[in-house]
Amino acid sequence: MRFRFIAPVAVVLALVVSSFALAAKQATSVTAPIKITVTLSDYAFKFSRASVPVGSTVVFTLKNAGTVQHNIDFVGTGKRSALIAAGGKSTLKVTFKKKGSIQVVCDVPRHIQLGMVSSFKVK
Ligand SMILES: [Cu+2]
């Protein structure tokens, strides 16, 4: 007789526990943006990290350590920074939705030829 009472209670408890577990899983899957520093110089890019998992949102801190203005352009993604003056800083937020190797360039005329071409990997 006692089982008839306990069984429904156990089912309700199991549902409550599993819904909490699901909520916890959803909370952890919303990850904070990855922070990456890019040092721009005359005439190169240096990334503090060169790849991220697909789906990542990255906040790039861009530091121009050169003597002329530079920017960063993730070719094919539509994401590029404004021009950054020598000694200046900027940030750029990008969500990488597709796997692949993205070409990275500086849009200032002739800077690609001088060496400002690199790549960033989405795995
Ligand atoms: Cu440049």
Side-chain angles (χ1 to χ4, degrees), residues 40-43 64-70 84-87 108 111 116:
L40 298 82
S41 62
D42 313 336
Y43 294 89
N64 185 354
T67 62
V68 296
Q69 65 181 4
H70 296 294
I84 305 162
V108 176
H111 284 201
M116 292 193 84

Side-chain angles (χ1 to χ4, degrees), residues 37-41 61-66 84 87-90:
T37 299
V38 188
T39 305
L40 298 82
S41 62
T61 296
L62 311 166
K63 293 180 180 173
N64 185 354
I84 305 162
K89 255 171 103 172
S90 186

